[in-house]
Amino acid sequence: QVQLVESGGGLVQPGGSRRLSCAASGFTISTFHMRWYRQAPGKERELVAGISSNGGSTNYADSVKGRFTISRDNAKNTVYLQMNSLKPEDTAVYFCNAQSLSGLYFYWGQGTQVTVSS
């Protein structure tokens, strides 16, 4: 059973911080490129951040660069998204994605809601 489970979402005030976790089971993420996507109401799903299999490189959407940090702990089989200086426009469902380097596997989590509001 392959599964990605996101957690850590919730309500946060503008300017606040939140850390999302994505726990993998049924496979090991050490040979997977990991990504976070988000989808706001009425908008298409967009790529937020990505990290290489060994954590050596990262990439971010312009809208979150400097505020969000993606990281991974392969020993814990978990990827994280640290979100700082949150804005109301960051409100969305955040999804975890795993893509194998071989291209044979592509997995999605179910998403976790992040709401930035006063």
Side-chain angles (χ1 to χ4, degrees), residues 16-35:
S17 297
R18 199 84 177 185
R19 189 176 80 156
L20 306 183
S21 298
C22 174
S25 60
F27 74 107
T28 57
I29 68 170
S30 60
T31 59
F32 283 71
H33 190 105
M34 304 298 295
R35 298 181 176 94

Side-chain angles (χ1 to χ4, degrees), residues 6 11 13 18 23 27 42 55 60 65 72 74 80 88 102-103 118:
E6 301 95 334
L11 177 64
Q13 295 187 137
R18 199 84 177 185
F27 74 107
Y60 300 91
K65 194 161 189 173
R72 65 193 298 153
N74 286 348
Y80 306 95
S102 69
S118 298

Side-chain angles (χ1 to χ4, degrees), residues 8 11-20 67-68 81-86 114 116:
L11 177 64
V12 60
Q13 295 187 137
S17 297
R18 199 84 177 185
R19 189 176 80 156
L20 306 183
R67 300 187 297 119
F68 289 13
L81 184 68
Q82 178 66 47
M83 305 183 295
N84 299 327
S85 302
L86 283 162
V114 174
V116 185

Side-chain angles (χ1 to χ4, degrees), residues 35-38 45-50 59-64:
R35 298 181 176 94
W36 286 96
Y37 290 77
R38 68 185 182 187
R45 189 171 299 186
E46 64 173 340
L47 176 65
V48 175
N59 60 276
Y60 300 91
D62 288 342
S63 59
V64 307

